Amino acid sequence: MKISLIVPCYNEEASLCAFYSELTKVSSEMGEYEFEYIFIDDGSKDKTLSIIKDFANSDKRVSYISFSKNFGKEAAMYAGFCNSCGDYVAVMDADMQDPPSLLPKMVEILNSGEYDSVATRRVTRHGESKIRSFFANWFYRVFNHTTDVKIVSGARDFRLMKREMVDAIISMCEKNRFSKGIYGWIGFKTYWLPFDNVERVAGKSKWNVKKLFRYSFDGIFSFSNRPLKIPFYLAILCACASIAPLAYMIYHAITHCFLMSSTSITSSLILFAVLLVGAFCLFSIGILGEYIAKIYGEVKGRPHYIVAQTNKKDVVKK
Ligand code: UDP
Ligand code: MG
């Protein structure tokens, strides 16, 4: 029985050694399993790659794939899935926020045969900024409301999966990847394992507010067509709202014996209506633009990632 552990790394020189020593400690306690550690260097600019190479020189279980530039965590995870061969596969962050100590329990649950994957979810958010927790909670609500795929609040990408599930993930070769949505979309029976949030062992998070917003919107647009219906609802709203100034003008005309003096109220109303309709139109064009950009990204058919260096013999390039 082989377990593949995929570790996406971007500028993780500060946390890699602590992570690797914890990983090897946990694996040695699980002596009955064979392990492969696949480190994906996502175009790091620090010593990440040379540290991974040092691991690989002294440990046959370590393989690495180094990208030509930063392609993002989603591309790194996809490269890991495509190049894994374990019966069980897990993705783990390199900063210890996905505790390796949970692995034995996760394997035990999968071995019971009842589940296809064991996913982890944080039940606390100690150490995370209030603003990030606030937006994360709202994101889960909006995502679950607008898409048919459901994400559990606090869900992490860290999950141990059976080979069948990994093959299903690989078969979803879209460029706009949003793993939490993909896991939900492909189905399979999942056991949710709760744990308390662990703070990063060293270094800094690679996500800022702008990146998180972009990622959240990409997730919603990738898994829902519902935003495309918003222009339709806005059109109905405009049609209904247009009745008010019309009624006012009719009333004004009747009470003033059809003398349509252009009062300031009438002109303000017209200006308001024009601006509102204009805003709705631009908003609708913006939504269409998002989808067109996504379609454009897909049809260009560019690779998910470009491999610059690897110690794998037959590296799968997608
Ligand atoms: N990561 C990556 N590429 C990126 C950003 C992040 O491979 O462009 C890796 C990073 O090295 C870490 C994991 O993804 O192993 C999670 O990143 P981070 O800890 O910054 O995210 P957070 O935990 O703050 O959500
Ligand atoms: Mg982290």
Side-chain angles (χ1 to χ4, degrees):
M1 180 71 95
K2 191 169 186 172
I3 301 176
S4 303
L5 300 175
I6 298 161
V7 190
C9 308
Y10 179 50
N11 294 342
E12 293 290 0
E13 63 178 7
S15 55
L16 264 176
C17 290
F19 172 75
Y20 177 70
S21 83
E22 175 70 8
L23 198 60
T24 46
K25 190 178 140 237
V26 172
S27 328
S28 65
E29 287 161 12
M30 301 168 70
E32 65 273 40
Y33 298 96
E34 197 189 327
F35 280 89
E36 72 165 346
Y37 311 134
I38 308 171
F39 287 87
I40 314 290
D41 166 40
D42 186 12
S44 301
K45 294 174 188 76
D46 62 1
K47 295 197 189 82
T48 297
L49 181 58
S50 72
I51 295 172
I52 298 172
K53 280 181 176 172
D54 287 345
F55 298 158
N57 287 338
S58 59
D59 187 344
K60 281 203 167 62
R61 297 170 296 183
V62 176
S63 60
Y64 62 85
I65 296 170
S66 178
F67 291 170
S68 61
K69 67 165 185 103
N70 179 244
F71 281 91
K73 185 186 174 186
E74 287 290 343
M77 292 198 292
Y78 192 54
F81 288 132
C82 294
N83 285 284
S84 66
C85 63
D87 305 285
Y88 293 167
V89 180
V91 178
M92 304 179 81
D93 287 0
D95 58 5
M96 302 263 270
Q97 286 199 282
D98 296 331
S101 57
L102 292 178
L103 275 172
K105 174 91 184 143
M106 293 164 90
V107 172
E108 189 191 316
I109 296 169
L110 269 201
N111 281 346
S112 73
E114 225 185 300
Y115 298 94
D116 302 298
S117 85
V118 182
T120 57
R121 61 180 284 253
R122 291 186 291 185
V123 282
T124 55
R125 285 181 176 268
H126 300 311
E128 192 178 76
S129 74
K130 290 240 164 23
I131 186 120
R132 188 168 167 173
S133 305
F134 174 80
F135 281 117
N137 286 331
W138 266 100
F139 166 69
Y140 289 124
R141 279 190 210 176
V142 175
F143 188 92
N144 288 338
H145 192 73
T146 47
T147 71
D148 295 328
V149 175
K150 298 289 164 255
I151 303 184
V152 173
S153 175
R156 294 201 49 93
D157 288 328
F158 177 32
R159 58 167 74 203
L160 187 70
M161 292 167 278
K162 286 189 178 163
R163 188 76 241 165
E164 296 74 25
M165 189 160 169
V166 177
D167 289 340
I169 294 170
I170 294 170
S171 73
M172 293 187 68
C173 50
E174 64 224 57
K175 298 282 159 12
N176 295 294
R177 299 189 73 77
F178 181 67
S179 285
K180 290 187 180 80
I182 291 176
Y183 294 147
W185 192 89
I186 56 175
F188 291 97
K189 261 185 112 182
T190 298
Y191 180 94
W192 285 98
L193 189 66
F195 74 102
D196 284 326
N197 187 41
V198 182
E199 284 188 53
R200 207 174 222 288
V201 67
K204 278 195 290 186
S205 170
K206 309 299 173 306
W207 301 85
N208 55 32
V209 175
K210 193 176 156 202
K211 267 190 174 177
L212 281 170
F213 262 100
R214 188 65 254 168
Y215 186 59
S216 309
F217 278 114
D218 281 349
I220 292 171
F221 282 101
S222 295
F223 281 90
S224 176
N225 290 336
R226 267 174 228 169
L228 279 173
K229 292 188 186 134
I230 293 176
F232 174 70
Y233 296 124
L234 290 179
I236 294 178
L237 194 70
C238 281
C240 295
S242 68
I243 294 169
L246 187 71
Y248 173 79
M249 275 188 279
I250 293 170
Y251 168 79
H252 193 270
I254 292 168
T255 52
H256 291 77
C257 303
F258 292 93
L259 289 169
M260 288 287 286
S261 58
S262 60
T263 62
S264 60
I265 299 175
T266 321
S267 47
S268 321
L269 266 174
I270 292 171
L271 185 64
F272 170 73
V274 168
L275 287 177
L276 189 71
V277 172
F280 283 176
C281 287
L282 290 174
F283 184 71
S284 306
I285 293 170
I287 291 173
L288 288 178
E290 274 293 323
Y291 283 97
I292 292 170
K294 297 249 171 300
I295 298 166
Y296 185 50
E298 297 292 337
V299 296
K300 274 189 287 191
R302 288 184 184 165
H304 289 85
Y305 53 87
I306 294 169
V307 178
Q309 291 184 54
T310 179
N311 65 344
K312 273 189 161 294
K313 274 201 190 87
D314 302 309
V315 70
V316 178
K317 296 173 183 168
K318 290 255 188 177

